[in-house]
Amino acid sequence: MIPHFHRRDLLKGAAALAPMVVAGRAFAAPQAGSRLLVVFLRGAYDATSIVVPTGSDFYYQSRPTIALAKPDLANPKAALALDGDWGLHPALKDSILPLWQQKQIAFVPFAGTDDMSRSHFETQDTIELGQPIGGSRDYGSGFMARLAQMLGRTDRPISFTDQLPLCFRGDPAPVPNLALANVGKPIDARQAALIESMYGSKGQLAQSVAEGFQVRDTVFKTLDEEMKAAGRGAVSSKGFELSARRVGTLMRDQFNLAFVDVGGWDTHVNQGNATGYLADRIGELGRGLAGFVDAIGPEAWRSTTVVVVSEFGRTFRENGDKGTDHGHGSIYWVMGGGVSGGRLAGPQTKLAAATLNQGRDLPVMTDYRGLIGGIVARQYGLSGDRLARIFPDARPSDLSLI
């Protein structure tokens, strides 16, 4: 792991052209060229609460309490119209909707992997490895490491994670990793003790305060255990919001191939709709991505692609706890100054009980390896044989996104 970067350490002018040496690898400031950032939402985000099938009556029948209202300019809590069939979560009005209007973001529904385990860990590994399902896995060879090797001298990778992720394992040259600050933790024991001391050691109010902290801790631990496990140490969405500008600055000045993971998406209970837990997380994510776009600057943004993925989707129907459970198909995002956006890309199907995977989830119609393979093939001009070394036994999907 490399030390945290600080704004004062980022050099300007001619000094910024000097090579940077990290973990034995020299990084020169990139010339005009392509940049790729993969954002992994660990925990399986509920895609159909973000890119909402507002044209589907089946959606509203399936989610009586957590559905977002149909687009309505008079209702600030309603979904924002993307087209006649889909809407966007209102928490993204000021961050992601402008990119849609500028045709710099596309959404790819019914996307994912053919891994049917519904295990966070197994499916996260599946995506990061980029290897065929069914055979033995080589955990020493991630798809971004193989891509970095294909890029050769133009390769300037970095992982914005606490530890080097599986997707970057296998690159012979060490890949630096930079941990983003994790914020949003509950009140620690010292702070709780100070608050309790304000109310003395006796009396009904003091007892209520103490019991309140005990209940809070119990609830937090119960609901947080699976969330943390599914997140595998990923930065929180609030942490990403606060740090995304740093990511943009570093990719503008130093790096051109990057990975970041954002945790907190395993919403089994009380996920909410226009407001609530999930709305807060997606708002933070949207503001973080908008901050990244602003920090990387218009020139670099024109040659930058951001792909937002998650290990799998969630059940189409809400559960008894007003949340959603582990599903299958998801909705991926593709952003960039050169992206042919403002559209829902890839094959789609009408949402109905008969078209759901196993009667419960979105089906997968665009394989993640095909999606990312098609993007990098266009972005880096990779031939078919070189692409096959990145994603073995996978055919690239040309969705004309770049």
Side-chain angles (χ1 to χ4, degrees):
M1 185 173 69
I2 63 176
H4 287 277
F5 291 86
H6 299 281
R7 186 175 299 276
R8 63 177 178 273
D9 297 325
L10 298 173
L11 304 179
K12 299 180 179 179
L17 299 176
M20 175 180 180
V21 179
V22 178
R25 186 196 292 258
F27 297 84
Q31 305 301 314
S34 293
R35 296 169 177 82
L36 174 66
L37 172 65
V38 175
V39 180
F40 200 134
L41 305 183
R42 294 196 190 272
Y45 90 117
D46 182 34
T48 47
S49 281
I50 311 307
V51 184
V52 187
T54 52
S56 169
D57 292 336
F58 181 56
Y59 164 75
Y60 290 98
Q61 295 165 10
S62 301
R63 298 186 168 208
T65 65
I66 66 171
L68 273 83
K70 290 178 179 290
D72 179 356
L73 293 176
N75 181 4
K77 294 184 177 181
L80 309 165
L82 297 178
D83 60 22
D85 297 317
W86 298 88
L88 188 67
H89 196 286
L92 299 174
K93 179 179 180 180
D94 298 323
S95 56
I96 300 302
L97 184 62
L99 294 173
W100 174 269
Q101 295 168 335
Q102 297 164 27
K103 300 188 184 303
Q104 294 183 357
I105 183 170
F107 297 106
V108 184
F110 307 103
T113 169
D114 54 358
D115 188 323
M116 289 294 299
S117 68
R118 290 194 173 89
S119 161
H120 290 296
F121 313 114
E122 181 173 332
T123 315
Q124 287 175 20
D125 290 352
T126 292
I127 290 180
E128 290 192 65
L129 292 173
Q131 300 167 16
I133 296 288
S136 60
R137 294 186 171 188
D138 179 359
Y139 284 88
S141 179
F143 86 85
M144 293 193 74
R146 298 193 295 274
L147 173 59
Q149 293 175 56
M150 289 296 104
L151 298 181
R153 291 182 178 274
T154 64
D155 161 37
R156 293 177 298 278
I158 187 170
S159 179
F160 296 100
T161 54
D162 188 42
Q163 298 180 359
L164 189 68
L166 199 58
C167 64
F168 264 130
R169 290 187 190 174
D171 191 337
V175 175
N177 62 285
L178 172 64
L180 298 177
N182 192 9
V183 298
K185 295 181 179 179
I187 300 173
D188 61 30
R190 183 185 64 83
Q191 292 172 315
L194 288 173
I195 294 172
E196 289 178 344
S197 68
M198 294 170 59
Y199 296 92
S201 57
K202 298 181 180 180
Q204 185 175 358
L205 184 57
Q207 182 179 352
S208 297
V209 170
E211 289 176 352
F213 279 124
Q214 183 178 2
V215 171
R216 179 216 63 196
D217 291 341
T218 301
V219 171
F220 176 82
K221 289 176 182 177
T222 300
L223 297 180
D224 199 47
E225 283 178 359
E226 183 180 356
M227 187 79 76
K228 283 184 175 179
R232 286 184 160 180
V235 69
S236 68
S237 53
K238 171 60 72 176
F240 178 70
E241 178 186 355
L242 297 175
S243 304
R245 287 181 177 273
R246 179 189 300 177
V247 175
T249 301
L250 289 170
M251 289 195 70
R252 181 194 68 203
D253 294 336
Q254 296 287 349
F255 303 97
N256 67 352
L257 182 62
F259 175 90
V260 62
D261 51 8
V262 183
W265 305 100
D266 198 21
T267 52
H268 289 280
V269 178
N270 293 330
Q271 69 178 44
N273 41 32
T275 59
Y277 177 85
L278 182 59
D280 290 344
R281 303 294 80 72
I282 201 64
E284 291 159 357
L285 175 68
R287 289 188 292 273
L289 289 170
F292 169 85
V293 174
D294 183 62
I296 204 169
E299 182 177 354
W301 179 238
R302 283 193 289 271
S303 58
T304 297
T305 304
V306 179
V307 183
V308 181
V309 305
S310 195
E311 63 262 38
F312 44 72
R314 305 192 74 81
T315 47
F316 193 73
R317 298 178 180 89
E318 67 178 77
N319 63 26
D321 293 317
K322 299 182 180 180
T324 50
D325 298 319
H326 298 179
H328 188 48
S330 186
I331 301 174
Y332 290 172
W333 311 12
V334 181
M335 306 167 48
V339 166
S340 177
R343 62 194 176 98
L344 277 293
Q348 302 177 39
T349 186
K350 180 180 179 180
L351 289 166
T355 61
L356 294 182
N357 170 69
Q358 297 182 345
R360 53 177 278 165
D361 323 306
L362 292 185
V364 170
M365 305 180 74
T366 297
D367 181 78
Y368 79 103
R369 299 198 303 158
L371 172 63
I372 299 176
I375 289 171
V376 300
R378 280 182 171 267
Q379 187 162 353
Y380 298 108
L382 297 179
S383 62
D385 60 332
R386 298 181 76 193
L387 191 63
R389 292 167 62 185
I390 301 171
F391 292 115
D393 300 334
R395 179 174 298 179
S397 299
D398 187 0
L399 304 183
S400 300
L401 291 168
I402 297 179

